[in-house]
Amino acid sequence: MGPVIGMTPDKRAETPGAEKIAGLSQIYKMGSLPEAVDAARPKATLVGSESTDDELTNLNWLHESTNLLTNFSFGGEDLPVVSPLYDIEGDDMPSCGPSCYQNPEKKSTTSKPPYSFSLLIYMAIEHSPNKCLPVKEIYSWILDRFPYFATAPTGWKNSVRHNLSLNKCFQKVERSHGKVNGKGSLWRVDPEYKPNLMQALKKQPFSSPQSGSLSPHYLSSVLKQNQVRTLKESDIDAATAMILLNTSIEQGILECEKPLPLKTSLQKKRNYGHAFSHPSAVRLQESDSLATSIDPKEDHNYSASSMAVQRCASRSSVSSLSSVDEVYEFLPKSSHAGSDGSEGFHSEEDTDGDYEDDPLGDSGYAAQACVDTSQKGQPGKKMRKQSCQEIDEELKEAAGSLLHLAGIRTCLGSLISTAKTQKQRKK
DNA sequence: GGCAAGATAAACAACA
DNA sequence: CTGTTGTTTATCTTGC
């Protein structure tokens, strides 16, 4: 081990400190978007401004949420190459003024992005077609999106590699022989840690504009812009669905008992690996009967999405604003029944689930490369991986359910308008 | 002040 | 030989 001399003074000036305070304060300001949040928050006046709708007030949130849903497209191929936040920069600045929305990444030209390296890597990998990227591509993605790093000291690349190596969220995937395209391995996000990463991302002042993940602020900002887009169910991936659900819940668009308090911290693989809250260890205790599973490995009924939908559905069902009262607690990885503590996460099922829909991407890195290593996976992990896959599927279903609700809302809307018209005629 | 998380720096080995 | 990649260790900063 060589000498560690710490950061040089000039580098200190570039990293935390005054610049962070000054730069990020602006970023956070534009990220907080209270107006946008208000805009996104359902208001009784929007639908229920008239007393005639009192009996339907309970569906106001649905009205808003379905508007929200129907006005978005995200994920997959339809995700705009340019961030919606980019969309509003420059000439497209919304009427609320520059203070409302600024492009955080534009800002990041001079100040550090408010994302940890873990999140940057996560966004980069998730943005890739195959959800696998070599280090070099990760560099490129970060550089492309955050020009700050173009002028930043080269140490950030070291930090990226350091994160990849150290962070349990990332798995190295050896390139297959036939697909050799440069040296080094591909890196992927451990599916089991995706919820953590998403949650961490969501808690950032703004989310990845291009990762397909939507933070509340991101959603709010787009909401504020009234960007009319078409949401296609097929465009929703599980990650986005979860973000959407949680976002809706948090903003009150979908009123639910509690947001999902997923632990966001990413703990070090080795130093703190024991303490990492593993998503598969989510323990759920519900007063209601549904989705009472604890460990997906043990109970495949577990579904974060179905719970979210269930909670939302319980609200939407007017009568039973249910008391679904989840308590989430996170168990240390070591407490898993059947967890052998090994680092192997791959299984054929998982790999298939993750990549089979992923054609060879434009990056030239075949999904097969991911398959190769994943096939080395340990059979003991099969169940857990299968559970993750199921969760993924259920998240998709959850998104679909919301879309379904959107359709219901459309019908309700026409009914309401018809009723209003008739009432006015009577008057 | 302690702790956790993250950032940064550096050394080193392996490899193309 | 050089540059890149991956690992590891150590220190520092920041926030709670």
Side-chain angles (χ1 to χ4, degrees), chain A residues 123-140:
Chain A
M123 290 188 284
I125 294 175
E126 286 300 299
H127 185 255
S128 69
N130 295 322
K131 304 293 184 282
C132 290
L133 276 184
V135 171
K136 202 167 187 176
E137 294 289 319
I138 296 174
Y139 293 159
S140 300

Side-chain angles (χ1 to χ4, degrees), chain A residues 275-398:
Chain A
F276 196 99
S277 298
H278 199 284
S280 67
V282 173
R283 180 183 293 265
L284 308 163
Q285 298 170 350
E286 297 184 281
S287 56
D288 286 354
S289 57
L290 295 176
T292 56
S293 79
I294 294 176
D295 187 334
K297 184 172 55 185
E298 298 168 355
D299 185 344
H300 289 232
N301 288 329
Y302 164 77
S303 165
S305 65
S306 60
M307 287 193 337
V309 167
Q310 173 200 347
R311 287 183 290 169
C312 298
S314 69
R315 283 280 184 182
S316 66
S317 64
V318 182
S319 59
S320 71
L321 301 187
S322 135
S323 48
V324 178
D325 189 22
E326 299 88 348
V327 175
Y328 307 87
E329 57 180 78
F330 298 87
L331 306 177
K333 199 170 184 177
S334 58
S335 68
H336 295 180
S339 173
D340 55 11
S342 66
E343 294 294 324
F345 290 106
H346 305 289
S347 70
E348 288 186 15
E349 291 85 346
D350 170 62
T351 302
D352 291 342
D354 285 347
Y355 303 113
E356 68 183 358
D357 294 332
D358 246 339
L360 293 181
D362 51 15
S363 67
Y365 302 105
Q368 181 61 36
C370 304
V371 176
D372 288 344
T373 22
S374 63
Q375 286 175 342
K376 301 174 186 174
Q378 302 173 5
K381 302 288 181 182
K382 270 190 175 181
M383 296 295 283
R384 200 165 57 185
K385 306 300 290 186
Q386 194 171 0
S387 299
C388 288
Q389 193 177 341
E390 289 176 4
I391 291 169
D392 233 31
E393 288 300 317
E394 287 178 298
L395 283 169
K396 292 177 183 176
E397 291 177 12

Side-chain angles (χ1 to χ4, degrees), chain A residues 36-47:
Chain A
V37 170
D38 284 343
R41 194 172 296 280
K43 291 183 175 66
T45 54
L46 291 178
V47 170

